[in-house]
DNA sequence: GCCTTGACGTTAG
DNA sequence: ACTAACGCCAAGG
């Protein structure tokens, strides 16, 4: 059969990230797991890196994607503190300057299946 | 074609 | 509980 499995892993990442609701955040591991690649957390980040350089990044709330610790590891790829500011703007709770309350605002991509 | 780096995560000490 | 190392897959040099 057609191996759509290996088809544009990044595109799927973008789609999932684009589905993250307002005021919610997700993690790289959760997204990669949802895509079937549990150990592809780094790939997700890699995809986002490309997104920053792409025009699509404009339509992708990459600021809602953090690591499993809730740390804004990708803040360096944003302009200044735009990532933190946007999260604050959405009412995300911060436990540290660059660490959000992932436990409270975590959004699971598997919610899409429901 | 081999080696290094990377927006991560898990397991071991 | 904290720190260190390995694994993962892909892309750039």
């Amino acid at each position: 059969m057609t191996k759509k499995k290996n088809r544009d892993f990044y595109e799927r990442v973008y789609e999932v990230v684009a589905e993250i609701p307002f005021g919610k955040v997700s993690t790289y591991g959760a997204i990669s797991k949802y895509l079937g690649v549990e150990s592809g957390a780094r790939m997700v980040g890699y995809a986002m890196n490309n997104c920053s350089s792409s025009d699509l990044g404009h339509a992708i709330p990459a600021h809602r994607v953090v690591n499993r610790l809730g740390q804004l590891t990708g803040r360096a790829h944003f302009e200044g503190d735009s990532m933190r500011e946007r999260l604050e703007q959405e009412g995300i709770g911060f436990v540290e300057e660059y660490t959000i309350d992932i436990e409270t605002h975590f959004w699971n991509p598997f919610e899409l299946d429901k």
Side-chain angles (χ1 to χ4, degrees), chain A residues 54-87:
Chain A
S54 191
D55 295 334
L56 278 171
H58 196 326
I60 298 175
H63 59 275
R64 293 181 190 157
V65 183
V66 297
N67 67 350
R68 89 165 188 88
L69 299 176
Q71 296 174 326
L72 281 62
T73 53
R75 63 178 156 74
H77 292 259
F78 285 80
E79 280 194 24
D81 292 341
S82 59
M83 190 175 187
R84 186 182 67 85
E85 287 179 9
R86 283 183 183 241
L87 289 171

Side-chain angles (χ1 to χ4, degrees), chain A residues 14 44-54 77:
Chain A
Y14 301 143
V44 176
Y46 205 86
M48 306 300 286
N49 189 359
N50 225 355
C51 131
S52 276
S53 264
S54 191
H77 292 259

Side-chain angles (χ1 to χ4, degrees), chain A residues 10 14 22-23 26 31 37 58-59 68-69 83 99 103 113:
Chain A
Y10 311 114
Y14 301 143
F22 186 92
S26 188
I31 295 170
V37 185
H58 196 326
R68 89 165 188 88
L69 299 176
M83 190 175 187
T99 306
E103 303 268 336
D113 288 340

